[in-house]
Amino acid sequence: MHAVILGAAGMVGRLLAREIANGALPVSRLTLIDLSAPLSPAGIDASCIALDLSDTSTAGRIASLRPDLIFHLAAVVSGEAERDFDKGYAVNLYATEALLGALRDEGIRPRIVFASSLAVFGPPLPPRIPDSYRTTPASSYGTQKAIAEMLFADYSRKKFVEAISLRLPTVVVRPGRPNAAASGFFSGIIREPLAGLNANLPVPESTRVFIGSPLAVVFSLVRAAELSSAKLVGLAPINLPGISVSVEEMLSSLQDLAGSAVLNLITKEPDPEIARIVNSWPVDIEAERARRLGFKPNADFREILQEHIDELTRGE
């Protein structure tokens, strides 16, 4: 099986490639694509290609590879998509539409696992989102993801591709450098203090967020690739399971692990725009369909924190 990862240089893409190299899926050929050429993980001879999804020639080049499986993780993240309207639409929507058209023109029907987002939901929100809840995005990023979901569903209905859209929870704790996502501080207030660095909390400690660890999200992507074709027929976008946690609870777990002094590295300078975006997202998700299909959440935030520490230990 030939698998392609779009957005392979990102944190989730790197972990997914690593797990594939470790045998998570029966992949005989792996192609990694991002704006900068990704690094090949140990254990597999991957083709690493630098491509700009917003370039008009890129979709055709990807389709010409004739992949059996595509993980579509590439995106302009939430905060950046809100600040740069044109860039967000160019990458998050128009490039996706071009890719679907190119795959159809090539005459192939790959399985596509699309990384969507809970940002497709927006106010007014109930305390817990059921699987059937309507999409009312309150950001450009959420709007782009919602439209892309519909494109994947329609192309699947017409049997041009076989796609499944996964609405990812906020991924915490993200390793590496901060990115432009509005949700980035949720990782920053854990990652930076553990490294002895300062971090800012731009929202009140009472703010709740629905999260999943990097590996929990990767295992969900793998699970989506494994689902039988029969289970994908008419399948609506999947709200992935996760855990609902407040910033206060996250910081309490951090203090239990690293001591109270670590909290002194966290400043509290409010950012109304970040608060507006984050508060437009759901804080809890039912995700019963996902659970029935074998998708699993983290047990609690302590497990997520321990996963991050273990990844640091292994140098990922």
Side-chain angles (χ1 to χ4, degrees):
M1 177 171 61
H2 178 198
V4 168
I5 302 177
L6 304 180
M11 178 271 300
V12 172
R14 293 196 306 272
L15 287 178
L16 176 59
R18 186 187 78 186
E19 293 306 311
I20 289 175
N22 289 339
L25 288 169
V27 170
S28 57
R29 180 184 173 194
L30 180 62
T31 301
L32 308 178
I33 296 174
D34 212 313
L35 192 58
S36 298
L39 297 176
S40 179
I44 193 169
D45 185 17
S47 298
C48 302
I49 304 173
L51 287 176
D52 183 350
L53 288 187
S54 64
D55 188 299
T56 55
S57 67
T58 293
R61 291 185 62 183
I62 295 171
S64 70
L65 298 172
R66 302 185 67 83
D68 305 295
L69 171 64
I70 299 173
F71 292 99
H72 190 337
L73 314 180
V76 173
V77 294
S78 53
E80 187 177 6
E82 194 69 10
R83 290 191 298 272
D84 193 333
F85 185 87
D86 293 330
K87 183 178 181 181
Y89 271 88
V91 175
N92 295 346
L93 181 56
Y94 304 143
T96 296
E97 184 179 22
L99 175 62
L100 285 168
L103 293 170
R104 181 187 175 194
D105 291 342
E106 189 70 22
I108 57 174
R109 187 172 178 254
R111 167 74 59 89
I112 302 176
V113 180
F114 173 57
S116 187
S117 168
L118 296 182
V120 300
F121 299 115
L125 293 168
R128 198 167 195 234
I129 295 287
D131 284 327
S132 59
Y133 200 70
R134 67 192 184 280
T135 56
T136 54
S139 66
S140 294
Y141 177 75
T143 300
Q144 293 148 15
K145 290 291 189 178
I147 298 172
E149 285 181 357
M150 289 189 283
L151 285 173
F152 282 115
D154 198 37
Y155 272 70
S156 294
R157 180 183 64 84
K158 298 292 287 186
K159 299 190 181 339
F160 299 140
V161 297
E162 188 179 74
I164 176 172
S165 295
L166 303 181
R167 292 168 178 162
L168 274 55
T170 296
V171 181
V172 176
V173 179
R174 286 179 171 270
R177 298 175 61 85
N179 64 14
S183 61
F185 72 88
F186 287 116
S187 290
I189 59 173
I190 303 297
R191 180 185 60 231
E192 267 67 86
L194 281 176
L197 302 173
N198 293 318
N200 184 56
L201 174 62
V203 300
E205 289 190 20
S206 59
T207 301
R208 298 194 71 83
V209 61
F210 190 71
I211 64 174
S213 74
L215 283 178
V217 167
V218 165
F219 294 149
S220 291
L221 294 167
V222 170
R223 176 59 184 157
E226 293 174 330
L227 286 176
S228 69
S229 296
K231 290 185 176 180
L232 295 190
V233 175
L235 185 65
I238 293 290
N239 300 329
L240 289 184
I243 61 171
S244 179
V245 62
S246 70
V247 170
E248 183 179 20
E249 292 164 347
M250 293 168 64
L251 294 181
S252 177
S253 294
L254 176 64
Q255 178 177 325
D256 290 344
L257 176 77
S260 57
V262 75
L263 300 185
N264 295 330
L265 294 169
I266 301 173
T267 58
K268 297 180 180 179
E269 299 178 8
D271 187 321
E273 179 60 12
I274 288 179
R276 182 194 69 79
I277 295 174
V278 169
N279 288 331
S280 72
W281 299 339
V283 298
D284 201 3
I285 302 288
E286 187 178 86
E288 287 304 318
R289 281 190 300 130
R291 294 172 192 272
R292 289 196 299 270
L293 289 169
F295 296 93
K296 297 178 181 179
N298 297 102
D300 51 34
F301 187 70
R302 288 178 182 272
E303 178 184 279
I304 292 176
L305 199 53
Q306 188 60 52
E307 177 187 308
H308 175 65
I309 293 168
D310 291 345
E311 289 292 313
L312 290 177
T313 300
R314 66 180 290 170
E316 295 292 341

